[in-house]
Amino acid sequence: MTLSVETPALLFSATSLILLAYTNRFLTIAQIVRSLKKHYDENHTKSILLQIKNLNLRISLIRYMQLFGVLSLFLSVFAMLSLFLSQQIFGIYLFGASLLCLLISLGISFWEISISVTALRHHLSDIEEEALN
C-alpha cells in the first residue's frame, strides 16, 4: 500500500471545520453555564444545579472532542512529514492513527449530542406537564 503526501492533507479542511464547530459548542455552553450560575446564586434550586451538572459533563466531553481532533490534525502533519521524508510505512501508521483519533473525536461528539438531546427532551417534558395542568 502506498500513500501520497496529499492524502493526509485532505483531513485539514474537515478537521479545522470540526474544531470550529466544537469551539462554538464550547462557547455557547460556557455562556449558558455562566447564566445558570447567576440564577443559581439568586435561587438555589435543584433544577438549575442539575442543569449545571449536565453542562459540566458536556464541557468535559467537548474538551476531549477537541483534544482528539487536534491530535488527529497533529498526526496528519507528522504523516505528511514522514511521507515527504520517504518513510512510507511510518507515514501510513501515523495517518491511520490520525483517522482513529478523528473517529474517537466524532464518537465523543455523538455522545455529547445525545446528552444534549436527552436534556432538551427532559426540559420539554416539564413544559408539557405544565401545559396539561
Side-chain angles (χ1 to χ4, degrees):
M1 178 177 162
T2 59
L3 192 66
S4 69
V5 176
E6 295 87 16
T7 305
L10 293 173
L11 284 183
F12 280 91
S13 59
T15 307
S16 58
L17 286 174
I18 287 171
L19 289 173
L20 182 62
Y22 292 169
T23 301
N24 287 337
R25 272 184 175 156
F26 178 83
L27 292 174
T28 301
I29 291 174
Q31 183 178 6
I32 293 168
V33 167
R34 287 185 188 101
S35 173
L36 284 173
K37 164 104 173 55
K38 186 177 177 183
H39 288 303
Y40 183 75
D41 288 342
E42 295 167 1
N43 313 331
H44 292 292
T45 61
K46 186 177 178 181
S47 172
I48 293 174
L49 193 59
L50 290 173
Q51 288 178 49
I52 290 173
K53 231 176 178 180
N54 178 288
L55 292 170
N56 188 34
L57 172 62
R58 289 178 58 201
I59 286 172
S60 295
L61 291 175
I62 291 171
R63 182 181 62 207
Y64 287 114
M65 289 160 36
Q66 290 173 325
L67 171 76
F68 282 104
V70 168
L71 191 56
S72 173
L73 196 57
F74 194 74
L75 290 170
S76 288
V77 170
F78 274 119
M80 289 173 57
L81 182 62
S82 296
L83 294 170
F84 182 74
L85 297 173
S86 300
Q87 299 294 320
Q88 187 73 18
I89 298 297
F90 192 59
I92 289 171
Y93 284 120
L94 284 172
F95 183 61
S98 174
L99 291 175
L100 183 63
C101 286
L102 184 58
L103 188 61
I104 291 169
S105 177
L106 293 171
I108 296 170
S109 175
F110 181 75
W111 182 15
E112 189 268 334
I113 289 169
S114 298
I115 291 170
S116 173
V117 168
T118 303
L120 286 173
R121 284 191 179 143
H122 184 60
H123 199 58
L124 290 174
S125 71
D126 291 346
I127 294 172
E128 288 174 1
E129 286 176 14
E130 287 178 16
L132 292 174
N133 293 331

